[in-house]
Amino acid sequence: MAAAALLRQRAGGDGAAALWRAQRRQRSTFDVAVVGAGIVGLASARELVRRHPSLSFAVLEKEKELAHHQSGHNSGVIHSGIYYQPGSLKAKLCVQGAALCYKYCDQKGIPYKQCGKGLMALDSPYTGIVNYKQVAQSYAEDFQEAGGTILTDFEVTNMEMAKESSAESEDGLKYPVIVRNSKGEEIYCRHIVTCAGLYSDRLSEISGCSPEPHIVPFRGDYLVLKPEKCYMVKGNIYPVPNPRFPFLGFHFTPRMDGSVWLGPNAVLAFKREGYKLFDFSTGDFLDAVTYSGLWKLVLRNLSYGLSEMYRACFLSAQVKQLQKFIPEVTINDVLRGPSGVRAQALDSDGNLVDDFVFDGGSGDIGSRILHVRNAPSPAATSSLAIAKMIADEVKQRFAL
């Protein structure tokens, strides 16, 4: 900053202003811009800059703070893949991701606990827990140390090709895509990778690509065991999930601080970032309830949906679910805890998309974009494996 001020002072007057604008413009051009600083976006950016150190990369994040909402809470489970359809991309990435996650945490000194042992159940010895917010922040540090740029408070609202007058300059020819934010600020880039989670469908529409699959937010409410009752749970306890739904059902999750979370349920959220019970956005609500795919899903699964809503309202109903695994748990042993929001991809036929979806588009901008449309649980576990796959796709698609 001091060096820039010195240059402006030496140049003087209009020359200083021109020089400052040139410096600003130089800093605003990137070979690849990654939209979204969640754990998948940061892992992908980290992998890309490590593979292509001669290129310039930026991460664009609408929040002022990085890793503000990692899966709605700080720590979570490192899955080992036994819950998913054998042979699916989800299962493959889950197994690869668990191994990479453990290795990365070891290298970076990030503490984790392996807690997969169980009796009279499927044993998953490579399942554990880790603070994913800390992991995501470590990815960001790796990215920046390798020369990457992170721009926070940059909510992307528009993407377009540079007009002919802009493209006549050297920068315009090399960086033909303009990305603007809600404040009118802009950057120029060659290619874009979006990892926008809850807003992945909206970014796809902004870029002129397909709005499908549509994102419908589902809030998951947790209970927590009272501190004096945490001795009841010594490891992760998961039910066998219903294959009709991508939700894992009520489970017991020990956390790095020694607390134990119970849940979550799955109910429609009335705001895409509606982490609290009464969070409401008119636009997000109308976007969800006017989507035909949601109504097809609801009508096919009315009983299941009503049961989830009932359990969300009545603590005793949630405890009844928990007692299937630990009969000793009572309503006096639990408290209401935090919530997370799942970015559930849904197609127009009302089918829940339960695997990873990566696609691009056509046309001038569409051919320069790779959209990560759906990265469901266990996206955090699989973030390093997903990043490798995205980097492979970017190299092939954009001929880097």
Side-chain angles (χ1 to χ4, degrees):
M1 194 72 181
L6 180 61
L7 285 171
R8 293 199 305 273
Q9 182 180 5
R10 287 179 178 176
D14 293 339
L19 177 60
W20 185 239
R21 283 195 298 271
Q23 291 173 330
R24 287 284 301 267
R25 182 173 176 80
Q26 185 177 6
R27 286 201 300 271
S28 298
T29 56
F30 304 97
D31 290 296
V32 179
V34 177
V35 182
I39 196 166
V40 172
L42 290 170
S44 301
R46 171 185 175 274
E47 182 68 20
L48 285 166
V49 75
R50 287 160 65 92
R51 291 195 189 187
H52 307 283
S54 63
L55 301 182
S56 57
F57 294 88
V59 171
L60 312 179
E61 167 58 29
K62 70 184 184 67
E63 301 284 351
K64 293 183 179 180
E65 179 186 353
L66 280 185
H68 185 65
H69 294 299
Q70 290 300 334
S71 302
H73 47 86
N74 289 344
S75 64
V77 179
I78 302 173
H79 300 266
S80 59
I82 64 171
Y83 309 107
Y84 307 107
Q85 182 67 34
S88 69
L89 178 59
K90 189 173 184 178
K92 178 182 177 182
L93 290 176
C94 186
V95 174
Q96 292 177 350
L100 289 170
C101 187
Y102 281 125
K103 182 178 179 180
Y104 182 83
C105 290
D106 279 334
Q107 291 173 342
K108 293 295 180 177
I110 298 174
Y112 62 87
K113 297 179 183 179
Q114 283 189 308
C115 47
K117 296 297 183 182
L119 296 175
M120 301 301 291
L122 286 174
D123 182 16
S124 176
Y126 301 108
T127 289
I129 52 175
V130 71
N131 186 321
Y132 278 121
K133 182 174 182 179
Q134 188 176 350
V135 172
Q137 289 171 336
S138 184
Y139 290 169
E141 292 169 6
D142 290 349
F143 175 66
Q144 290 175 304
E145 288 171 2
T149 299
I150 296 178
L151 301 177
T152 58
D153 199 18
F154 197 105
E155 182 179 1
V156 175
T157 56
N158 179 259
M159 304 175 193
E160 66 179 18
M161 297 297 292
K163 295 181 173 60
E164 290 186 8
S165 58
S166 301
E168 288 174 359
S169 68
E170 183 178 348
D171 278 352
L173 289 171
K174 188 175 181 181
Y175 307 100
V177 182
I178 303 174
V179 181
R180 292 191 180 89
N181 67 10
S182 55
K183 296 182 290 187
E185 299 168 341
E186 60 187 32
I187 67 159
Y188 289 73
C189 61
R190 293 169 57 202
H191 307 289
I192 301 172
V193 177
T194 70
C195 301
L198 286 160
Y199 300 96
S200 60
D201 55 342
R202 292 182 181 176
L203 274 182
S204 182
E205 287 189 86
I206 286 173
S207 69
C209 298
S210 171
E212 300 288 343
H214 196 80
I215 296 298
V216 176
F218 283 86
R219 193 183 72 253
D221 302 312
Y222 286 87
L223 304 177
V224 294
L225 274 178
K226 291 181 178 179
E228 64 271 21
K229 295 293 183 177
C230 289
Y231 70 87
M232 292 182 177
V233 179
K234 298 180 175 61
N236 292 293
I237 304 173
Y238 274 52
V240 177
N242 186 334
R244 292 173 54 200
F245 303 101
F247 313 113
L248 292 178
F250 273 69
H251 48 275
F252 298 72
T253 306
R255 288 166 50 84
M256 294 300 296
D257 60 4
S259 63
V260 177
W261 287 17
L262 316 170
N265 58 1
V267 294
L268 180 67
F270 298 141
K271 184 179 180 181
R272 291 211 176 191
E273 291 183 275
Y275 294 94
K276 297 179 181 178
L277 180 62
F278 297 107
D279 282 349
F280 182 84
S281 164
T282 302
D284 289 349
F285 175 73
L286 292 175
D287 185 51
V289 300
T290 57
Y291 182 57
S292 61
L294 176 61
W295 287 107
K296 293 175 183 177
L297 173 70
V298 169
L299 293 175
R300 284 204 304 263
N301 303 280
L302 188 59
S303 177
Y304 179 89
L306 291 175
S307 297
E308 286 294 301
M309 292 177 64
Y310 178 80
R311 284 191 287 268
C313 296
F314 297 98
L315 202 61
S316 59
Q318 296 187 50
V319 172
K320 188 175 180 180
Q321 291 290 109
L322 300 172
Q323 288 172 337
K324 294 178 180 179
F325 303 93
I326 301 183
E328 294 82 5
V329 174
T330 70
I331 195 170
N332 296 320
D333 297 330
V334 301
L335 300 169
R336 289 195 180 273
S339 301
V341 178
R342 180 190 183 102
Q344 179 59 55
L346 184 66
D347 67 23
S348 57
D349 292 325
N351 298 313
L352 295 166
V353 181
D354 190 31
D355 209 350
F356 295 91
V357 177
F358 308 92
D359 64 21
S362 58
D364 291 336
I365 294 183
S367 61
R368 291 179 175 270
I369 290 182
L370 174 64
H371 290 294
V372 179
R373 301 298 304 276
N374 191 45
S377 175
T381 291
S382 306
S383 56
L384 290 171
I386 295 171
K388 290 180 179 294
M389 187 179 67
I390 289 174
D392 290 341
E393 184 70 19
V394 166
K395 181 179 180 180
Q396 178 181 353
R397 188 180 294 260
F398 303 144
L400 293 187

